[in-house]
Amino acid sequence: MLSAFTARPIVELRQRDKSKIESLLAYGDRILVGLNTGSLRIYRVLESIGDSGPATTGESKPPQGTSKPVELLRDQDKFSKYKIEQLAIIKEVNILVSLSNGYVSTHDLQTYELLETLTKTKGASTFAVTSNVVKDLSTGVPSIVSRLAVAVKRRLLLWSWHDSELSSETSELTLVTGIKTLTWATGTKLIAGLSSSYVLVEVETSTITDIVGPGSIGGAPGQDGGRFGGVGVASMGYIGMGGMVPRPLATRLSEGQLLLAKDINTLFIDPDGNSLGRRQIPWSVAPEAIGYSYPFLLALQATKGTLEVRNPETLTTLQTISLANANQLHVPQPYVSLAHAGKGFLVSSDRCIWRMDALGYDAQIDALVERRKLDEAISLIGMLEDALIKDKEGRLREIKMLKAQDLFDQRKYRDSLDLFTEVSAPPERVISLYPAIIAGDPSMSDYSQQSGDGTGTEIRQGDGPGAESLVSADSEPKESASSIDNTSERESLKVSTFAGSETASTFGRPSMSDIPRHELDAEGKDLETATSELAGFLVGARTKLQRFLNPDGTLKDISSDTSIGTNGTSIEEVLVPARIGYDPGREQRLRETAKLVDTTLFRAYMLVRPSMAGPLFRLPNFCDASVVNEKLLQTGRYNDLVDFFFGKRLHREALDLLKNFGQAAEDDKAPAYLQGPQRTVAYLQNLPPELIDLILEYAEWPIRSNPDLGMEVFLADTENAETLPRSRVLEFLQRIDQRFAVKYLEHIINELNDTTADFHQRLIDDYLSGLKSRDPDGGQKKLEYKDKLLNFLRTSQHYESWKVIQQLPGDVPDLYEARAIVLGNMREHRQALLIYVFKLKDHEKAENYCNQIYLTETSPVSSPAGLRRRSTTNDDDGPPSIYHSLLSLYMSPPPPYEPQWGPALEILAKHGSRLPASSTLTLIPEVLPIQKLESYFRARIRSANTVVNEARVVASLRKSVDIGEEAKLHLGDGKPGGNAGRNRHVVITEEKVCGVCHKRFGGSAIKVLPK
């Protein structure tokens, strides 16, 4: 599946050399080999072997060429008298630690001379070392702490160095059974593999914790839940044959994870010994050794002579390397070589050492993608650090999109579209998976033909050791993304499957022609299911595009928080296939993408949920008008089509459609809900005032068809109707019919309170024109116009009276009263009264006219003096009132009219008190009997008495108020805690002191403050 590592033999013992390799240690460019003879050989790795060749999964071959992979620097014959079972270094202390003949010894790392044999370690079976940076809790100063743990049967011995100085204290712990293996979990926690179980040892607190696991891992009494329900198969074989029980193995994985393995049972735990709940590794044979070379899990199976390379997350076997008689695995520890810095480890047999050179991570990912192991590629990218691969976010996104395409081909549409949504896949790429009935132009057939036109697979050049070029026989290099013409996202998508990522110009990818694809049927339930899931994806894409585009298609000011991932890739680049360098057509490409998304969403709704098309149109959208128009006309969804035209501001098309259906005959095939002017009127009412030309163009036929309904375009209680240009509307209605103009003028003046003098004057002109026109209804229409004219002349203050009076001849009886009203507005009261008294001969209207003028001229003022009743005995010096003018017309009319005593006496009786006495009496002729003036004098006397009595009442009320205020001043208001007035008293005793100077009062004068 994957050639992650290449096995290269770097050390091979000669045939005449009878030694065997017992232990290995690699650090830096040095390899230390411990032999069964007690000799220590030191090799230096030459830089010339850094170039790796093709990876293999079979038997390894020696490196080609004349250069040696290593050179022997030193052969320490007398390093030990017995075989060297284990080697390790503590670099911070500059010592080499070895295990030989049951003793642990320390040696100088430079000269390899023996420094000390730890006598306490007699009978030792294994040891483990670790170095860590630890901060002092009290001072916060960091220091390097190195620890050495040695297993001596059941005892665990611990030594420690602090900043290269050996601590004088040596710890010792005794466990329940013999210790087989030791592995440091952290700087202070140690995993001890016992004969039958594992324990976690906290070296600082000497706490021992049992680790519970399945099968042979160990656990509480009665627990034997291995993968096969009991004792492992391999264990049964060992026990039955009397063989050796498998060693308990352990290794550190990524941060916070460890793997325990015994027999074929495994357990993933955290540094505290708690199970992570992961499934076991499906080993068929118990491994001889396990290790972790970032980011892979290694297992050496000596019985098969193979090395397995697994993904520690998915537990899938990625590579199996055959290594004859291999029995030892050595991975440089993290404290010696950083996890991602040492891309190799060592495997050895009794006679040979192989160095496992790692293929570049980019090449590994490309190989997995080529073999369609996309889950493994995604997992591998997730485990790697950002600095180790080029454009981690972009590559991860591309591979997830390939996986989503595979899921789509497997008819797992929901999972596929969910994954496309997760990575914000370019909509063009997703839409191209669908047939033309959904995708339109960028259908899958066109996409596949363009991708599989013989261009083959793109050239891919790896960057790590052993990288190989994956080029098909008939392929040629593709042009980089920077040379692609900036035509459209759709064309760009057809050129390259990976056009949507910045990595398209850097990394090659398998072509779509090499991938067997599932052809989505153009109809049927399969298409409906896939389309239903596509709708959800497109809704999310619309939401993201709205962060960049205004409803009118202009580009928004993109803020800095619209990035995803760690590489700052903007959502804009995610949604639209990116171009290399500056892209001046970014706004246009965004609009094109938005248009494709909305149009495809419309097609999807029309296929699976037609009722959702209407709500889509009522929102700002970028749907293709021609596609929507054609589809909705085919399906007869005319209301949705009108809503779409309105949203796209294609008002003329919408109004033409409504007009055609509205004027259709009843026996026509037009839908009933569109017949008549109702929908046209409703549409016109929603248009803004800026479209006044269009409104007036299409408002005529509704007005002629149904005047009451058609006039609602201009008379409706809406903001649009109230803000229309009124002069243009008035001219339009005047051209159709004067009645419509009058109705509109009455609306804007009476209901909208328009004070424009021209409109008021035009309404009067229309009323007068109506009075002068012929009335086929027998005068009923003229009476209506007359009443409206008189009422308007009384209430309006915004017409020009001098113009109106010229239109009102004095010899037309129907205009007498109108002329009187206008004369009154011009303050020609006598002329107006002449019309009321002698032409209209309506004394009641004349009196009402005088009452109105009198109330207007003598309106009360806010000052108290204005509220006093005027005396009727001394008002001769004042100006004559309006009643005086009326009385003079009754008493002394101009020729040829006769005096009218009855109305005159009635005015004297009702309003005599409002007339000056002297001037009034001069108007009364001597021949008039006094008896008839009784009511006048009685009214005058009553008025004078009323004034006197009113003055007396006011004086009495003021006196009462004065008495109350004086009583409150002397006696207070009588309320508890209120003002006591002058009735307040203060008791002065000998102990009383002044609150200011603190002296006793004595005989001093006292002044009491208010409080």
Side-chain angles (χ1 to χ4, degrees):
M1 180 187 297
L2 176 65
S3 298
F5 296 97
T6 303
R8 293 184 177 275
I10 57 175
V11 175
E12 291 183 286
L13 300 183
R14 298 173 182 175
Q15 292 184 355
R16 63 189 179 196
D17 188 349
K18 303 303 180 182
S19 303
K20 293 183 179 180
I21 300 173
E22 293 291 338
S23 57
L24 290 174
L25 175 63
Y27 69 96
D29 62 345
R30 299 290 190 269
I31 298 178
L32 277 61
V33 181
L35 305 179
N36 63 340
T37 60
S39 297
L40 178 68
R41 293 182 182 177
I42 300 91
Y43 294 91
R44 182 169 69 90
V45 179
L46 302 178
E47 295 296 334
S48 59
I49 71 168
D51 299 329
S52 302
T56 62
T57 56
E59 288 287 344
S60 301
K61 298 180 181 180
Q64 299 178 357
T66 57
S67 60
K68 295 181 179 180
V70 297
E71 65 173 345
L72 180 63
L73 297 181
R74 188 171 182 177
D75 190 350
Q76 193 81 6
D77 290 335
K78 298 181 181 180
F79 185 80
S80 175
K81 296 180 181 180
Y82 304 94
K83 65 178 181 180
I84 305 173
E85 301 175 18
Q86 188 177 353
L87 292 171
I89 66 168
I90 303 178
K91 188 175 182 180
E92 292 73 21
V93 189
N94 198 33
I95 62 173
L96 173 66
V97 184
S98 66
L99 172 62
S100 179
N101 193 30
Y103 284 95
V104 175
S105 304
T106 59
H107 307 262
D108 186 273
L109 188 57
Q110 303 299 326
T111 63
Y112 307 106
E113 297 294 332
L114 178 65
L115 298 178
E116 181 183 3
T117 298
L118 305 178
T119 56
K120 288 185 179 182
T121 62
K122 182 180 180 181
S125 57
T126 185
F127 68 86
V129 298
T130 184
S131 296
N132 299 275
V133 177
V134 179
K135 278 189 177 183
D136 188 275
L137 296 179
S138 58
T139 63
V141 178
S143 62
I144 299 178
V145 178
S146 303
R147 302 183 194 275
L148 169 64
V150 182
V152 182
K153 298 181 180 179
R154 293 173 52 195
R155 294 183 301 140
L156 179 63
L157 306 178
L158 296 167
W159 283 266
S160 62
W161 287 262
H162 294 267
D163 289 334
S164 304
E165 293 184 5
L166 179 63
S167 176
S168 58
E169 298 180 359
T170 302
S171 302
E172 181 176 335
L173 298 173
T174 302
L175 306 183
V176 293
T177 59
I179 304 172
K180 302 298 182 181
T181 58
L182 293 174
T183 305
W184 286 100
T186 65
T188 59
K189 294 180 181 179
L190 187 67
I191 301 291
L194 308 182
S195 300
S196 59
S197 63
Y198 288 86
V199 295
L200 177 67
V201 180
E202 172 60 61
V203 298
E204 290 185 340
T205 62
S206 301
T207 303
I208 301 174
T209 305
D210 292 328
I211 298 177
V212 179
S216 57
I217 295 294
Q223 288 189 346
D224 58 352
R227 286 193 294 125
F228 301 102
V231 179
V233 176
S235 297
M236 293 175 64
Y238 287 129
I239 296 173
M241 294 184 295
M244 182 181 64
V245 177
R247 295 171 60 228
L249 306 176
T251 184
R252 292 174 61 179
L253 302 177
S254 59
E255 189 68 26
Q257 293 189 41
L258 294 97
L259 173 64
L260 308 182
K262 188 175 183 182
D263 194 0
I264 58 173
N265 297 115
T266 58
L267 177 66
F268 290 91
I269 62 172
D270 61 15
D272 295 326
N274 302 316
S275 173
L276 297 178
R278 299 180 57 186
R279 65 185 181 91
Q280 298 190 49
I281 299 176
W283 278 323
S284 59
V285 178
E288 178 70 20
I290 61 175
Y292 179 71
S293 179
Y294 180 86
F296 300 109
L297 175 63
L298 310 173
L300 180 62
Q301 296 179 338
T303 56
K304 290 185 176 181
T306 60
L307 176 69
E308 284 187 358
V309 180
R310 291 180 180 267
N311 184 327
E313 287 188 351
T314 64
L315 306 183
T316 305
T317 302
L318 300 178
Q319 185 180 9
T320 301
I321 305 174
S322 297
L323 301 170
N325 301 319
N327 56 14
Q328 193 171 170
L329 172 65
H330 173 71
V331 181
Q333 296 303 311
Y335 62 86
V336 175
S337 175
L338 294 178
H340 57 270
K343 291 188 177 181
F345 56 93
L346 302 178
V347 179
S348 72
S349 64
D350 292 341
R351 307 285 299 174
C352 181
I353 300 176
W354 291 273
R355 174 174 173 172
M356 312 303 293
D357 292 327
L359 186 66
Y361 293 127
D362 291 303
Q364 294 181 27
I365 295 170
D366 287 340
L368 289 172
V369 172
E370 181 187 16
R371 293 170 175 81
R372 306 306 292 177
K373 303 299 180 182
L374 302 179
D375 286 328
E376 299 301 328
I378 292 171
S379 176
L380 178 58
I381 292 178
M383 292 186 294
L384 293 173
E385 296 179 5
D386 296 350
L388 301 182
I389 54 177
K390 296 179 181 179
D391 188 18
K392 176 179 177 179
E393 292 292 334
R395 300 207 61 179
L396 179 62
R397 175 172 171 268
E398 290 296 340
I399 296 174
K400 284 186 176 181
M401 284 192 284
L402 282 177
K403 179 184 177 182
Q405 289 181 211
D406 284 355
L407 292 173
F408 190 90
D409 296 340
Q410 299 167 17
R411 291 182 168 86
K412 298 179 180 179
Y413 302 118
R414 172 165 294 184
D415 296 337
S416 173
L417 271 298
D418 287 346
L419 189 54
F420 275 129
T421 302
E422 176 188 338
V423 300
S424 297
E428 297 91 335
R429 183 167 185 167
V430 180
I431 295 171
S432 65
L433 299 175
Y434 288 78
I437 189 174
I438 298 298
D441 291 338
S443 61
M444 192 61 232
S445 58
D446 297 338
Y447 184 87
S448 299
Q449 292 173 4
Q450 187 72 17
S451 299
D453 57 358
T455 57
T457 307
E458 197 175 17
I459 293 178
R460 195 256 320 134
Q461 183 66 38
D463 64 330
E468 57 182 352
S469 299
L470 302 176
V471 186
S472 63
D474 59 342
S475 65
E476 294 181 2
K478 287 186 180 181
E479 60 183 351
S480 65
S482 59
S483 62
I484 298 176
D485 293 336
N486 186 14
T487 56
S488 67
E489 305 87 47
R490 196 172 302 157
E491 294 300 324
S492 175
L493 188 64
K494 292 180 181 178
V495 172
S496 172
T497 306
F498 296 87
S501 172
E502 294 176 356
T503 60
S505 62
T506 309
F507 304 103
R509 297 292 185 272
S511 70
M512 295 298 297
S513 60
D514 298 332
I515 303 172
R517 302 203 58 79
H518 150 63
E519 293 294 337
L520 191 62
D521 296 333
E523 58 184 10
K525 189 169 182 60
D526 200 27
L527 176 61
E528 292 182 5
T529 304
T531 304
S532 179
E533 300 300 330
L534 175 66
F537 169 81
L538 294 176
V539 169
R542 288 189 79 247
T543 303
K544 294 175 182 176
L545 280 169
Q546 288 171 0
R547 300 176 61 183
F548 296 91
L549 285 177
N550 293 309
D552 58 355
T554 58
L555 194 63
K556 289 183 178 179
D557 183 15
I558 303 173
S559 58
S560 59
D561 61 347
T562 57
S563 61
I564 62 172
T566 57
N567 60 348
T569 304
S570 67
I571 295 180
E572 175 198 1
E573 296 171 356
V574 172
L575 290 173
V576 183
R579 306 293 198 271
I580 302 300
Y582 173 69
D583 182 11
R586 178 179 60 178
E587 182 176 344
Q588 177 62 26
R589 291 191 297 109
L590 277 171
R591 282 197 295 268
E592 291 175 359
T593 301
K595 181 178 180 180
L596 176 64
V597 169
D598 287 352
T599 305
T600 307
L601 181 59
F602 161 72
R603 292 193 182 102
Y605 280 157
M606 291 302 296
L607 180 66
V608 295
R609 291 192 293 271
S611 60
M612 294 298 294
L616 174 63
F617 299 148
R618 285 186 278 274
L619 297 173
N621 64 83
F622 296 90
C623 292
D624 190 335
S626 60
V627 174
V628 175
N629 184 40
E630 178 184 1
K631 195 72 174 179
L632 292 181
L633 286 176
Q634 289 177 358
T635 56
R637 302 183 68 87
Y638 303 112
N639 266 337
D640 291 340
L641 181 57
V642 171
D643 291 340
F644 171 74
F645 282 146
F646 183 83
K648 300 296 289 183
R649 299 183 181 180
L650 300 173
H651 303 301
R652 184 173 296 278
E653 289 77 1
L655 290 169
D656 285 336
L657 179 67
L658 292 174
K659 182 178 181 181
N660 293 335
F661 286 125
Q663 294 180 337
E666 294 184 359
D667 57 349
D668 203 346
K669 295 182 180 180
Y673 60 85
L674 290 180
Q675 292 182 356
Q678 291 87 353
R679 288 288 282 115
T680 300
V681 170
Y683 193 97
L684 292 173
Q685 287 176 338
N686 290 317
L687 295 182
E690 295 78 14
L691 301 177
I692 183 61
D693 293 329
L694 193 66
I695 295 173
L696 298 181
E697 179 181 351
Y698 286 91
E700 183 172 354
W701 81 265
I703 292 176
R704 295 187 183 277
S705 174
N706 188 336
D708 292 336
L709 180 62
M711 283 298 295
E712 287 300 313
V713 175
F714 310 109
L715 306 183
D717 187 16
T718 62
E719 183 179 357
N720 287 339
E722 294 176 2
T723 54
L724 290 174
R726 295 172 182 175
S727 298
R728 296 199 57 187
V729 174
L730 188 59
E731 293 174 2
F732 167 75
L733 296 175
Q734 188 77 34
R735 178 171 52 84
I736 298 176
D737 195 320
Q738 181 183 355
R739 294 173 301 167
F740 302 145
V742 171
K743 191 173 184 179
Y744 182 70
L745 285 171
E746 291 174 347
H747 171 72
I748 63 175
I749 292 175
N750 299 332
E751 297 185 20
L752 304 184
N753 299 320
D754 194 315
T755 59
T756 305
D758 184 57
F759 292 156
H760 287 247
Q761 188 66 42
R762 291 188 66 172
L763 182 57
I764 293 174
D765 295 343
D766 289 338
Y767 284 153
L768 291 174
S769 178
L771 281 172
K772 297 176 183 177
S773 63
R774 297 181 59 185
D775 189 358
D777 298 335
Q780 187 66 29
K781 205 68 176 177
K782 285 189 175 183
L783 290 177
E784 182 180 347
Y785 274 120
K786 181 179 179 181
D787 292 340
K788 290 183 178 180
L789 174 62
L790 296 178
N791 183 60
F792 185 71
L793 290 174
R794 290 190 187 99
T795 57
S796 175
Q797 302 293 329
H798 302 286
Y799 60 87
E800 297 181 3
S801 301
W802 65 272
K803 287 185 179 180
V804 177
I805 199 66
Q806 295 176 4
Q807 297 176 284
L808 300 174
D811 55 352
V812 180
D814 289 339
L815 301 180
Y816 283 163
E817 187 172 358
R819 185 176 177 85
I821 295 173
V822 176
L823 288 172
N825 291 337
M826 298 174 67
R827 305 191 66 81
E828 297 290 341
H829 302 308
R830 185 174 180 82
Q831 297 297 325
L833 289 174
L834 278 171
I835 296 174
Y836 282 118
V837 173
F838 300 112
K839 292 187 178 182
L840 293 176
K841 297 181 181 179
D842 191 334
H843 305 297
E844 183 179 357
K845 287 186 178 181
E847 183 180 356
N848 291 336
Y849 178 82
C850 292
N851 292 338
Q852 181 181 356
I853 300 300
Y854 179 82
L855 293 176
T856 303
E857 293 180 350
T858 60
S859 59
V861 295
S862 58
S863 62
L867 295 176
R868 298 177 184 174
R869 184 180 296 272
R870 283 196 311 170
S871 174
T872 58
T873 59
N874 56 353
D875 54 0
D876 293 342
D877 297 334
S881 66
I882 187 65
Y883 298 104
H884 187 274
S885 299
L886 180 59
L887 183 62
S888 65
L889 289 177
Y890 285 143
M891 295 292 190
S892 303
Y897 303 110
E898 297 293 332
Q900 301 181 27
W901 308 115
L905 293 175
E906 187 175 354
I907 291 296
L908 287 173
K910 291 181 179 180
H911 307 287
S913 60
R914 299 174 178 175
L915 296 171
S918 59
S919 58
T920 301
L921 292 175
T922 57
L923 293 175
I924 299 174
E926 297 179 355
V927 296
L928 187 66
I930 297 299
Q931 183 181 1
K932 293 184 178 182
L933 299 176
E934 179 183 0
S935 59
Y936 167 69
F937 291 117
R938 191 184 300 276
R940 292 285 300 183
I941 294 171
R942 285 179 178 175
S943 178
N945 291 337
T946 300
V947 173
V948 174
N949 292 336
E950 182 179 347
R952 290 176 179 174
V953 171
V954 171
S956 298
L957 291 175
R958 288 180 175 175
K959 185 175 182 180
S960 176
V961 172
D962 292 342
I963 293 173
E965 292 297 327
E966 186 175 358
K968 187 184 296 185
L969 178 62
H970 287 83
L971 304 177
D973 53 13
K975 298 179 181 179
N979 182 19
R982 295 183 178 179
N983 196 30
R984 178 185 178 191
H985 64 278
V986 178
V987 179
I988 301 299
T989 63
E990 294 181 356
E991 290 80 12
K992 283 281 187 176
V993 295
C994 177
V996 179
C997 62
H998 305 291
K999 294 181 179 180
R1000 289 188 180 183
F1001 289 109
S1004 303
I1006 298 173
K1007 184 176 182 181
V1008 180
L1009 299 177
K1011 294 182 180 180

